[in-house]
Amino acid sequence: MTARIGVITFPGSLDDGDTRRAIRLAGAEPVTLWHRDKELKQVDAVVLPGGFSYGDYLRAGAISRFSPVMEILIGEALGGLPVLGICNGFQVLAETHLLPGAMLRNNHLHFICREQKLRVENAETSWTTDFTAGQEIHIPLKNVDGRYVADERTLDMLEAEGRVVFRYRDLNPNGSLRDIAGITNEAGNVVGLMPHPEHAVDPLVGTGGTDGLGFFTSILKKLVSA
């Protein structure tokens, strides 16, 4: 039976189509979810894609976290449903408190769009098992509200519990504390990151790399083996 992975579209989402394509390339079935949906259509995992979402002018993800589909998703994620938040999706997950911390405007106050080197710190989450700890990968990055912040106690907790999943390498593009590019919840089923793996899944599209495909093959293997 083919694994079904939902992709939520908010008003303003830009990368939901690319995310569905990445899921399809990995061998799973993408399922379109609208932010007003009141059920998840029996999906096995969910991706909150990048781009923007309505209400971002107040604070990224601050309003979309109250969408009907998010109210359902929060409960399912707490129950173990695998969830990946990419860029704006990461911001939404922070607003729901499924992941700790917050996103602020980049420290240089400019939008950035570049290929970014990352180091994989945790290869044991639902979305990273096809990587190895210490592996360096290249993933496109594009954001203006991408600076990850949290209080020192939270940062120390994330470090101690191995919940920093990715770190920026070579340079810190937005001022994120401790070079953090992605984190996970305690259970390892919810992951958020600022870079865009869905733009690095096909050698003929995007940056020409395929380092992002591992996110989608990881969750597929996790679901098949469950």
Side-chain angles (χ1 to χ4, degrees):
M1 186 174 181
T2 303
R4 290 163 47 84
I5 302 178
V7 180
I8 298 176
T9 298
F10 299 94
S13 295
L14 299 178
D15 301 307
D16 46 343
D18 285 12
T19 302
R20 290 192 295 269
R21 182 173 182 273
I23 290 168
R24 193 175 296 108
L25 284 173
E29 176 188 351
V31 178
T32 298
L33 300 172
W34 179 235
H35 77 116
R36 290 189 178 276
D37 286 346
K38 296 183 179 180
E39 53 98 14
L40 296 178
K41 301 181 182 179
Q42 298 182 317
V43 298
D44 303 301
V46 170
V47 180
L48 281 67
F52 300 93
S53 56
Y54 70 109
D56 279 349
Y57 58 88
L58 295 175
R59 189 175 65 249
I63 300 302
S64 55
R65 65 83 73 228
F66 292 106
S67 291
V69 75
M70 290 305 303
E71 296 303 311
I72 299 166
L73 181 64
I74 291 170
E76 293 294 328
L78 292 174
L81 181 75
V83 178
L84 176 66
I86 301 170
C87 192
N88 189 259
F90 186 8
Q91 295 160 343
V92 173
L93 291 177
E95 290 291 332
T96 64
H97 303 297
L98 286 172
L99 294 175
M103 301 296 167
L104 299 181
R105 187 62 53 94
N106 296 341
N107 60 345
H108 44 71
L109 303 181
H110 294 289
F111 176 80
I112 52 176
C113 183
R114 66 186 304 267
E115 186 177 56
Q116 176 67 46
K117 182 187 288 187
L118 305 176
R119 183 175 66 216
V120 180
E121 302 284 5
N122 183 340
E124 298 179 2
T125 78
S126 297
W127 300 89
T128 57
T129 55
D130 265 1
F131 300 109
T132 57
Q135 180 180 353
E136 293 188 342
I137 60 177
H138 292 82
I139 302 291
L141 177 72
K142 53 178 186 177
N143 62 67
V144 69
D145 295 304
R147 177 162 56 107
Y148 179 76
V149 299
D151 60 77
E152 286 297 312
R153 180 180 178 182
T154 298
L155 292 170
D156 289 343
M157 175 195 69
L158 292 172
E159 301 277 12
E161 296 180 359
R163 290 170 55 187
V164 176
V165 183
F166 300 99
R167 268 186 235 275
Y168 297 114
R169 295 288 290 164
D170 292 350
L171 64 84
N172 185 322
N174 48 33
S176 291
L177 298 180
R178 303 195 189 182
D179 299 329
I180 291 174
I183 60 173
T184 185
N185 67 341
E186 186 175 1
N189 63 302
V190 179
V191 171
L193 78 161
M194 287 309 298
H196 288 257
E198 77 280 9
H199 295 327
V201 297
D202 189 324
L204 298 177
V205 178
T207 62
T210 58
D211 286 352
L213 193 59
F215 289 81
F216 305 101
T217 56
S218 291
I219 188 60
L220 180 58
K221 291 179 181 178
K222 170 75 174 179
L223 295 172
V224 169
S225 64

